[in-house]
Amino acid sequence: GIQVEQSPPDLILQEGANSTLRCNFSDSVNNLQWFHQNPWGQLINLFYIPSGTKQNGRLSATTVATERYSLLYISSSQTTDSGVYFCAVINFGNEKLTFGTGTRLTIIP
Amino acid sequence: DAGVTQSPTHLIKTRGQQVTLRCSPKSGHDTVSWYQQALGQGPQFIFQYYEEEERQRGNFPDRFSGHQFPNYSSELNVNALLLGDSALYLCALGRGGRGTEAFFGQGTRLTVV
């Protein structure tokens, strides 16, 4: 099956810093989503981005489908950005989301 | 937020018992998938239902079964619970077409003792 790798696994930053999270995948995809999982377990949709670039406030994402990677940018980090960030993909001919191992982001005041 | 409601939010069961988890969708979302998330890991796909039929199944034993009702709500049933079934169970909704955006509920945290 498709492999999804995220890096870095852990990231600790000071409030106000910028960060880049990376997601590599091993096959062509027709769905790529970024999620933020809060401490209560809720997966919050950040971006649906099988290709191209999108921005939403301090967050933006870029997926280069031909090179099989996606990047999530967080600018001016806030403590509320802390949590685990997951990238998940669906490859062609499949129905399921395959999740990466996640990046745990900790923002220190 | 697709307004996905899961119930119950927390549950404690004894090994060997059976459990039913529920997912109630917001209108317009006709595809439901279930995922299991063990502590410290990413969610793992259990199965997906569309038009009341199981469309795809992940690598889970037959003890895990599901159902989708005509109003698109869904149930996940797990029989003969094992300690290893302790996890967060997540329901995800989509809209029919393959590869469309998925929206998750808040999850049910199941503890098997």
Side-chain angles (χ1 to χ4, degrees):
Chain A
I2 190 168
Q3 303 299 313
V4 183
E5 296 180 354
Q6 290 186 244
S7 61
D10 291 281
L11 191 56
I12 301 174
L13 296 172
Q14 206 78 31
E15 198 169 22
N18 302 328
S19 58
T20 301
L21 282 58
R22 186 177 180 100
C23 172
N24 293 332
F25 43 96
S26 61
D27 200 356
S28 300
V29 300
N30 62 351
N31 177 344
L32 188 147
Q33 292 185 242
W34 282 97
F35 296 95
H36 176 208
Q37 189 164 42
N38 67 22
W40 298 273
Q42 172 95 49
L43 282 169
I44 299 166
N45 288 41
L46 297 178
F47 294 101
Y48 169 72
I49 187 167
S51 64
T53 297
K54 291 186 177 180
Q55 179 153 9
N56 184 4
R58 297 182 295 104
L59 274 60
S60 64
T62 295
T63 297
V64 184
T66 53
E67 297 187 21
R68 299 182 183 170
Y69 73 89
S70 182
L71 302 173
L72 175 68
Y73 305 97
I74 305 174
S75 65
S76 304
S77 298
Q78 301 175 358
T79 55
T80 51
D81 294 331
S82 295
V84 181
Y85 289 79
F86 285 105
C87 162
V89 303
I90 299 178
N91 54 320
F92 290 97
N94 220 327
E95 307 298 338
K96 64 177 184 178
L97 277 167
T98 298
F99 282 77
T101 49
T103 292
R104 181 173 298 277
L105 177 65
T106 303
I107 304 298
I108 301 171
Chain B
D1 178 12
V4 186
T5 303
Q6 290 188 242
S7 61
T9 55
H10 295 82
L11 198 55
I12 300 175
K13 287 287 191 178
T14 302
R15 189 173 50 183
Q17 285 187 316
Q18 179 265 344
V19 68
T20 298
L21 310 182
R22 294 177 176 84
C23 175
S24 298
K26 194 174 179 179
S27 66
H29 292 84
D30 55 6
T31 305
V32 62
S33 303
W34 287 91
Y35 292 79
Q36 180 196 66
Q37 186 177 19
L39 200 61
Q41 299 182 18
Q44 298 292 315
F45 176 77
I46 302 175
F47 41 57
Q48 184 184 87
Y49 279 82
Y50 173 65
E51 293 187 343
E52 302 180 52
E53 297 286 333
E54 184 179 287
R55 186 153 74 174
Q56 186 174 358
R57 188 178 184 90
N59 189 24
F60 279 80
D62 292 344
R63 299 187 297 108
F64 290 77
S65 63
H67 191 77
Q68 184 183 32
F69 299 94
N71 67 353
Y72 305 135
S73 66
S74 177
E75 288 181 350
L76 165 65
N77 300 292
V78 187
N79 294 322
L81 284 166
L82 304 174
L83 296 179
D85 295 331
S86 295
L88 180 67
Y89 289 86
L90 295 160
C91 151
L93 304 185
R95 293 177 188 258
R98 286 162 166 77
T100 56
E101 187 173 8
F103 296 88
F104 283 80
Q106 83 280 16
T108 294
R109 194 167 296 277
L110 172 66
T111 302
V112 182
V113 298

